[in-house]
Amino acid sequence: INNAGILGGNDRQKFGSFDYTAFDEIMAVNVVGPIRIVELFVDNVAASEQKKIINISSSVGSISMAFPGQNFYKASKSALNMSMKVIAKELKGSDDPNKKQIVIGLIHPGVVRTEFAGDVPIPMIEPEESAAAVIEVIQNYYVGRRQSGDFMSYTGSELPW
């Protein structure tokens, strides 16, 4: 499970005064890190029983659901989603039959009441509720039910790209 994520500070992501160092930091942690982990562990996952690589994304990575603010963070989650969707397709085309079976999951865990979420004025869920729901979504990722590369909410519904 790739659960990499930094917000990078709201003040550093305001249009007109973007802090491009923040952009590099956010992309390194939220996109490059998970890609490297997948590349490093793909053989181990191919040899495993479940053959699943799960990435904790965010609904803010959905381009069709875009709204103002946190430009870099949102761009990083969109980039994570695209990168993992491409990797899922590359694995399906692999000559290695074990790699063909690997499922790449992308899951929005909800807006979870944590230090990361802070005091956003929207309904939040408790960490335990999110974890239990995410586990259920992970269990439902397999060929024929939830396809590799699908972008899912913790509720079990597919999110738009």
Side-chain angles (χ1 to χ4, degrees):
I1 296 177
N2 277 322
N3 188 25
I6 60 169
L7 182 57
N10 289 327
D11 291 342
R12 299 172 78 192
Q13 300 179 61
K14 289 186 178 177
F15 181 72
S17 61
F18 283 151
D19 178 342
Y20 292 99
T21 302
F23 180 79
D24 292 342
E25 292 167 2
I26 292 165
M27 295 302 278
V29 172
N30 297 2
V31 183
V32 177
I35 291 170
R36 291 180 79 171
I37 292 296
V38 170
E39 199 167 34
L40 288 169
F41 286 97
V42 70
D43 291 333
N44 299 73
V45 174
S48 74
E49 186 177 316
Q50 288 196 30
K51 297 182 183 3
K52 293 179 184 176
I53 297 170
I54 305 299
N55 299 274
I56 303 302
S57 185
S58 173
S59 62
V60 301
S62 168
I63 293 171
S64 65
M65 295 170 48
F67 58 93
Q70 301 173 336
N71 190 297
F72 301 159
Y73 177 72
K74 292 172 183 176
S76 76
K77 290 304 182 174
S78 292
L80 172 70
N81 293 350
M82 178 57 79
S83 295
M84 292 302 159
K85 184 79 168 182
V86 169
I87 290 170
K89 292 192 177 290
E90 289 174 345
L91 290 171
K92 290 292 173 222
S94 173
D95 292 334
D96 182 334
N98 286 321
K99 287 183 181 174
K100 282 182 182 289
Q101 295 176 33
I102 292 175
V103 173
I104 303 284
L106 295 156
I107 303 174
H108 164 61
V111 181
V112 183
R113 189 178 318 282
T114 62
E115 192 174 302
F116 184 86
D119 295 325
V120 294
I122 57 176
M124 292 191 204
I125 62 173
E126 296 302 321
E128 298 81 8
E129 180 184 353
S130 174
V134 166
I135 288 168
E136 188 171 329
V137 172
I138 291 169
Q139 290 171 340
N140 288 328
Y141 265 108
Y142 58 88
V143 176
R145 185 153 180 202
R146 270 292 138 227
Q147 295 299 310
S148 185
D150 283 354
F151 183 23
M152 302 299 298
S153 171
Y154 72 100
T155 63
S157 61
E158 192 165 354
L159 291 169
W161 287 94

